[in-house]
Amino acid sequence: MLRTALRNVLAHKARLMMTALAVLLGVAFVAGTLIFSDTVGSAVKKASEKNLDGVAVSVQAEAADNAPDVGKDGKRTTLVDDKLADKVHALPGVESVRRNVNGTATVAGPDNVPLGNDWQNRAANFQPDKDGYDARYPLMQGRGPAAGNEIALDEATAKASGHKIGDSVRLATDGPVLTKKLVGIVTTDDPQVTAGGSLTLFDTATAQKLFLHPGQFDELVIGAAPGADQQALTAKVSEVLPKDRATATSGTDLAAEQSRMVASQNKALTQTLLTFAGIALFVGVFIIANTFTMLISQRSREVALMRAIGASRRQVVRSVLAEAALLGLISSAVGFALGIGLAVGLRAVLEANGSGFPDGPVVISPAAVLSALGVGVVVTVLAAWLPSRKAAKIAPVEALNTVEAPPALGSLVLRNSLGAVITGLGIATMCYVSTLKKADDLPIAMVGGMLTLTGVIILAPLLSRPLVSLAGVVTTRLFGISGKLAKENTLRNPRRTAATASALMIGLTLITGMTVVGNSAGQAMDKMTAQGLTADYKIGTTTFTGLDPKLSQKVADLPGVEAAAPLRNTGFETPDSMMSLNGTDLSTIDKVTQLDFISGSLKGAGGNDIAVSQEMAKKKGWQTGDTLDATFFDKKKAKLKIVGIYADNQLVGDSVGATSLAAPHQLVPTVETLLVKAQDGPSEGLEKQIRHALGDSPLLKVQDHDDLRTENAASIEMVLNVSYGLLGMAVIIAVVGVVNTLAMSVFERTREIGMLRAIGLARSGIKQMVRLESVVIALFGAGLGIVVGVFCSWAVGNLVSEGLPTYELLLPWGRLALFVLIAAAVGMLAALWPARRAARLNMLEAIGAQ
C-alpha cells in the first residue's frame, strides 16, 4: 500500500502540484514568521548584552513616586550626585563608576525635518578618559565634546543629516533651538538608537545644564573589580543609596529585564504574523481536502479494484494518508526554504521603512524547523482524512458501476442542520456583541465571528444553489449556451463548488471586515479632528514638551493672524474625581474652537470660573452654578465655580478656564497646544512665519486641517495595507484552489467536453464555459465573504466607539465594488490554464476516455 501511495503521487504530479503549492505557501508563511522573530530577537538581545558589557551594577535615580522630580525650570532634580558617586566608588569591589546624564535631543535634518523617532532620540554626556576616549561611545571621527558649544553624533544620524566634522548642527532638547559645532562622530550599540533613534553627546557640564542641575546624574554605572560577586556588590551599593530616591540593579538582572522587554516587543508582531499564517493554512485545508476528494473520486474504480483483490478499508485509508503525508513533507520542506527567504525579505522591507533592527545573522532554531514541517504535514494529513474515510466506505460493486455518485441525501441534511445551528449561534453571539461597549469584550466578538464564518462555510453547498442559479440567469442571457453550461457545471457538485468558493470567502471576509472598520474609524477620527476646531492651525511639539508661553505670544502678534488661543494644561482633584483643566485666553477661544454650551457660558468668566464637559457633568451630577473644592496637582487648593456646561470637545477636554487660573499651577510653564486662526486662511508663507516666531525648532508640529487628517489616517492606512498584504497570501492560495478545482473538473468531464465539441461547440465556447464557471465560483465566494465581513464589522461597532465617540458604520462602496471586480479577475485568471487545456482536448480521444 505504501508503494501504491508513492505511485499515486508520481502518477498525478500535475494534479497534485496545486495542492502542494497551497501547503508550500502556508508553511512558508509560518516558517518565515518564526525565523524572522528568532532572528530579530537574537540580534536585539545581543545588542542589549553588548551595550551592558562591563556593567556590574546600575544605580538609577528616581523619586518616591518612581518618576524624577521636575521643577519650574523643566529640569529634573535627583539625589544622585558627585558625593554619592564618590561614596560608591570607595566601596570594596568597585573598580569604576561611570556618571551618566540622560535626556532627549532632536537633530534637524535637511529642510529642518527632525531626524530619528521622537522619544528614541537620546542625549547623553561624553565621559573621556585621560586619552580623550569614551569606551561606551567609540569615536569614528574627530574627538569628544569638551565645551558648551560642541556635540558629537552617532554615525547614522550624522550621515542622515549630511553633517561633517566642523559643521554647525541645529537641534532642540525641550524647546528653543540650539546650534552646536559637530566635533565628533561615534558608534553605539544602544538598541534604542539602532532601532531608529539618534544619539547626541554633550560634555557633562552642558548635559547637566540642559537636563538636570550641576553635579547631578541620572545613573551611576558601576564596574566590578576582578573576582567581585555581582549580587553581593549590588547589596553593598544599595546600603549607601538615599532611601526611595535611587535603586541599584545588578547587570545580570538588567540584561534579563532587557531580554524580557525585547521578547514583549516582538511578541505582538510575531502573533500577528502567525495569525495570518494560520488563516493561510486554514484556507489551504479547503483546497487540500477538495483536491483529495476529487482525486479519490476519480480513482474510485482503482480503489474498488484494490478492495476487490483483498485490500481492507484500513489499508485504503492508510494509503491515502501516506500519500498526503508524503505530499505534505515535500511541500513543507520547499515551503521552509521559501520561508527563510521571506524572513530575510521582511526584515529588509522593515529596515527600509525605518525599523532600525540591529545587524545579526539569520537564526534558524530547531523549534522553527519542527513547527513549520510539522504544521505542513499535520494540516495535509488532517485535510485528507475525511476523503480517505469516504474512499474506504465505497463498496467495490458501487465504485465499478459509476465514476462519481451524488452525495447522500442524509449527509447533506445532517450538514445543513449542523450549519444552521452553528450559523444561528454565531449570529446570536454577534447580535449580543453589538450591545457591548467595551474593547475588553473583543474576544467574544472573535468567537462570534468564527462561529458565523464556520456556519456559513458549512451551509455554502445549500447557499450555492439559489445564488449560482441567479448568476446563471445572467450568464445564460449574456453568453448563451456557454453561460448555461457553466451554471450547470457549477451546480453539479455543490460541495466542491462550496469548498472552492469558501477558500476565497475566508480571505474576503477578513479583508472586508477590516476595510469597513478601518474606513469607519478613519471617518470618525476625521470628525474628531475637525469637531469644534475652527482654527486654521494646531501647533504643538513632537515630544509633547510644549511651547514657550513667551514665544506663543509672538505668534498672536504676527500680521495675518486673526486670533491665537494657547491651551495650558494642568489638573485638579475633587473629593471624588480627577480632572484635566485647560487654561486659555477666554477672549479668543470662541474664534479658534466651537464650544456648544448646553447651559451657561464663558462670557464674563474669569478668576476661578470654569466650564466643564457634558460627559463629566453627567458623570458627577454637576450643574451650572455648582462650586467645586479643588486641589491642584501642585497641592494648592481653590474653590472653582461652574459657569457653563458644553458638549464634549476633544480640544479642550474635561474643563476650561482662564489662563490666569491654570498657569500658576503648572509644574512646568508651557503651552501644550496653540490654536491659530488666520485672517485669510492657511498659507505656506504664514506657516513659515509661525515657525520662525517659535524659533524654527525641529520639535515643532504646525498642522492645518489636511495635515491632521493625514496624520490620523496614516496609522489606519498602514494597518490596512499590511493586512491587505498578509491576507493577500490567503487570496493567492484561494486562486490556487480555483485552478485546482477547474483542472480536475475538466479532467472529470473529458468525455463530456468531447461530446460538446462533436455536436458543434467551438473551442472558444469551451474556453468561455470554463472561464464563466470559474468567475461564478469566485463571485459566489466573494459575495458570501463581503456579506459576512460587513455583518461582523457592524456587530463590533460599539466596541470601537468606546475610544472613538464619533464612530459610525460607513460602508466604503468603492472598495467593496473593487473587491468584487478583483474576485471576477481572480476567476478569469484562475481559468486560463484549465480553459486552455479543455479547449485543446482531442475530440475523438475525449469521447473514448474512460
Side-chain angles (χ1 to χ4, degrees):
M1 296 304 291
L2 291 175
R3 285 198 298 270
T4 300
L6 180 61
R7 180 187 63 79
N8 283 330
V9 171
L10 297 176
H12 303 106
K13 293 187 289 291
R15 291 186 233 165
L16 289 174
M17 182 178 66
M18 292 298 178
T19 304
L21 185 58
V23 180
L24 182 152
L25 291 174
V27 170
F29 215 153
V30 173
T33 299
L34 295 175
I35 293 171
F36 170 80
S37 178
D38 290 341
T39 298
V40 172
S42 174
V44 176
K45 183 178 179 180
K46 287 181 179 179
S48 299
E49 291 173 349
K50 189 174 181 181
N51 192 51
L52 292 173
D53 188 30
V55 179
V57 183
S58 171
V59 174
Q60 299 281 344
E62 61 179 43
D65 59 355
N66 296 322
D69 290 331
V70 179
K72 288 281 187 179
D73 56 2
K75 298 176 184 178
R76 302 184 305 275
T77 299
T78 78
L79 294 185
V80 178
D81 53 19
D82 285 310
K83 184 178 179 180
L84 179 63
D86 292 338
K87 186 184 294 186
V88 170
H89 202 179
L91 293 173
V94 174
E95 183 175 58
S96 62
V97 176
R98 181 182 177 88
R99 311 174 189 207
N100 291 342
V101 179
N102 300 317
T104 59
T106 301
V107 175
D111 299 325
N112 206 39
V113 175
L115 300 177
N117 294 325
D118 298 343
W119 293 105
Q120 291 178 253
N121 294 338
R122 289 199 58 236
N125 58 320
F126 187 85
Q127 301 176 58
D129 56 20
K130 61 181 180 179
D131 296 321
Y133 295 99
D134 186 333
R136 186 173 185 185
Y137 304 115
L139 283 164
M140 295 286 293
Q141 298 178 42
R143 59 176 176 80
N149 66 333
E150 298 177 345
I151 62 166
L153 296 175
D154 67 284
E155 186 179 16
T157 302
K159 183 178 180 180
S161 63
H163 287 123
K164 298 179 181 179
I165 299 295
D167 288 350
S168 292
V169 179
R170 298 179 72 255
L171 66 143
T173 55
D174 60 357
V177 174
L178 306 174
T179 301
K180 305 285 185 181
K181 182 180 179 181
L182 181 63
V183 297
I185 296 176
V186 304
T187 61
T188 178
D189 296 308
D190 188 334
Q192 187 170 316
V193 178
T194 58
S198 66
L199 174 66
T200 305
L201 297 176
F202 304 91
D203 67 283
T204 299
T206 303
Q208 289 173 329
K209 181 179 178 181
L210 288 172
F211 306 114
L212 296 171
H213 295 89
Q216 296 180 355
F217 305 97
D218 290 295
E219 179 186 24
L220 300 180
V221 176
I222 300 163
D229 180 80
Q230 198 174 93
Q231 297 299 329
L233 185 58
T234 303
K236 290 180 183 178
V237 171
S238 297
E239 292 176 359
V240 301
L241 298 181
K243 189 177 181 180
D244 295 329
R245 302 306 297 267
T247 57
T249 307
S250 68
T252 303
D253 291 342
L254 209 58
E257 178 61 28
Q258 287 202 5
S259 296
R260 284 193 292 270
M261 288 176 63
V262 169
S264 176
Q265 290 169 356
N266 288 334
K267 184 177 180 181
L269 178 59
T270 301
Q271 288 180 339
T272 300
L273 292 173
L274 284 175
T275 298
F276 286 107
I279 293 168
L281 286 172
F282 186 51
V283 171
V285 167
F286 287 89
I287 297 170
I288 299 166
N290 213 15
T291 301
F292 274 95
T293 299
M294 296 175 72
L295 283 174
I296 291 169
S297 176
Q298 292 168 14
R299 286 166 24 207
S300 57
R301 290 194 176 192
E302 177 187 321
V303 172
L305 286 173
M306 292 173 62
R307 291 290 311 283
I309 61 176
S312 67
R313 290 185 176 183
R314 182 173 296 180
Q315 285 178 313
V316 171
V317 171
R318 286 177 179 174
S319 174
V320 175
L321 293 182
E323 183 179 342
L326 183 60
L327 175 69
L329 184 61
I330 295 172
S331 303
S332 298
V334 178
F336 185 81
L338 180 60
I340 297 175
L342 285 176
V344 174
L346 178 60
R347 184 176 177 183
V349 169
L350 291 175
E351 286 183 353
N353 285 277
S355 65
F357 292 125
D359 292 331
V362 175
V363 177
I364 302 176
S365 65
V369 177
L370 295 176
S371 298
L373 296 181
V375 164
V377 174
V378 169
V379 165
T380 309
V381 171
L382 287 177
W385 180 65
L386 284 176
S388 69
R389 290 195 63 197
K390 180 182 177 182
K393 291 180 180 179
I394 298 175
V397 174
E398 179 186 0
L400 290 171
N401 285 336
T402 182
V403 174
E404 182 181 8
L409 179 62
S411 65
L412 288 176
V413 171
L414 177 62
R415 174 173 180 152
N416 293 338
S417 301
L418 179 62
V421 171
I422 295 177
T423 304
L425 284 174
I427 292 174
T429 303
M430 295 307 287
C431 288
Y432 169 68
V433 168
S434 69
T435 65
L436 303 176
K437 295 183 179 180
K438 292 184 178 180
D440 294 340
D441 295 317
L442 184 59
I444 302 175
M446 294 176 67
V447 171
M450 286 299 298
L451 285 173
T452 304
L453 182 58
T454 303
V456 172
I457 290 171
I458 296 173
L459 286 176
L462 178 65
L463 298 173
S464 68
R465 290 190 177 277
L467 295 177
V468 171
S469 296
L470 182 62
V473 174
V474 178
T475 57
T476 302
R477 288 186 178 180
L478 293 178
F479 304 100
I481 189 64
S482 296
K484 184 174 182 180
L485 288 172
K487 181 197 75 172
E488 296 300 329
N489 291 333
T490 306
L491 290 175
R492 179 177 298 181
N493 192 328
R495 283 182 170 180
R496 181 186 303 164
T497 297
T500 306
S502 293
L504 187 60
M505 181 187 77
I506 295 167
L508 274 175
T509 295
L510 297 169
I511 289 175
T512 299
M514 296 191 72
T515 299
V516 172
V517 172
N519 177 72
S520 301
Q523 296 289 337
M525 292 185 74
D526 280 350
K527 286 183 180 179
M528 286 183 65
T529 300
Q531 187 181 49
L533 180 64
T534 56
D536 293 304
Y537 292 104
K538 181 181 178 183
I539 305 169
T541 60
T542 56
T543 54
F544 305 102
T545 50
L547 307 168
D548 185 339
K550 296 178 182 178
L551 294 178
S552 299
Q553 183 57 43
K554 287 186 177 181
V555 175
D557 298 333
L558 287 174
V561 171
E562 180 181 338
L567 297 180
R568 302 184 63 169
N569 186 262
T570 185
F572 62 87
E573 298 178 19
T574 63
D576 60 349
S577 65
M578 182 179 294
M579 295 178 59
S580 66
L581 170 66
N582 268 309
T584 188
D585 184 346
L586 298 182
S587 65
T588 60
I589 187 64
D590 61 333
K591 296 180 180 179
V592 295
T593 184
Q594 182 179 348
L595 286 177
D596 296 323
F597 279 89
I598 297 168
S599 65
S601 72
L602 284 172
K603 290 181 180 179
N608 289 357
D609 296 337
I610 63 169
V612 300
S613 67
Q614 183 180 17
E615 180 183 5
M616 289 301 299
K618 184 177 180 181
K619 186 185 298 183
K620 301 301 178 184
W622 294 335
Q623 295 180 353
T624 298
D626 287 352
T627 299
L628 309 179
D629 291 321
T631 302
F632 286 93
F633 291 169
D634 61 356
K635 308 305 180 184
K636 294 180 181 178
K637 298 182 179 182
K639 288 187 177 294
L640 305 180
K641 182 180 179 181
I642 298 177
V643 297
I645 297 174
Y646 54 85
D648 295 340
N649 185 300
Q650 184 188 20
L651 284 171
V652 298
D654 293 340
S655 63
V656 61
T659 302
S660 59
L661 173 62
H665 302 291
Q666 285 187 299
L667 299 179
V668 179
T670 58
V671 173
E672 279 69 27
T673 303
L674 180 63
L675 303 176
V676 177
K677 179 72 172 177
Q679 292 176 355
D680 301 315
S683 67
E684 186 175 345
L686 180 59
E687 181 177 337
K688 288 182 178 179
Q689 291 183 55
I690 292 173
R691 286 185 174 277
H692 184 68
L694 293 173
D696 282 325
S697 170
L699 302 178
L700 278 177
K701 288 176 69 174
V702 181
Q703 299 171 294
D704 58 20
H705 285 253
D706 289 338
D707 295 329
L708 291 169
R709 277 191 289 268
T710 301
E711 182 182 61
N712 289 333
S715 57
I716 294 176
E717 285 297 324
M718 182 183 71
V719 172
L720 285 178
N721 289 335
V722 170
S723 300
Y724 289 159
L726 296 173
L727 289 172
M729 181 71 75
V731 175
I732 291 172
I733 295 175
V735 173
V736 171
V738 177
V739 175
N740 220 11
T741 298
L742 289 175
M744 292 188 176
S745 180
V746 167
F747 176 82
E748 285 182 354
R749 304 201 308 264
T750 298
R751 179 182 293 182
E752 176 187 317
I753 291 172
M755 292 295 295
L756 289 172
R757 293 276 291 114
I759 61 176
L761 189 61
R763 292 180 187 272
S764 60
I766 296 293
K767 285 184 178 181
Q768 190 175 71
M769 175 187 72
V770 176
R771 284 197 296 265
L772 289 174
E773 181 180 348
S774 177
V775 170
V776 167
I777 292 174
L779 289 178
F780 170 58
L784 288 182
I786 290 173
V787 170
V788 175
V790 170
F791 170 71
C792 291
S793 59
W794 163 80
V796 301
N798 278 344
L799 304 185
V800 180
S801 64
E802 181 187 26
L804 287 172
T806 56
Y807 180 90
E808 61 179 322
L809 186 69
L810 295 171
L811 297 181
W813 294 106
R815 291 198 182 187
L816 296 182
L818 179 62
F819 295 159
V820 174
L821 291 176
I822 290 175
V826 163
M828 292 291 290
L829 180 65
L832 289 178
W833 177 55
R836 178 180 173 84
R837 181 183 177 191
R840 295 178 65 183
L841 287 174
N842 183 282
M843 188 188 310
L844 296 179
E845 291 179 358
I847 293 174
Q850 295 295 323

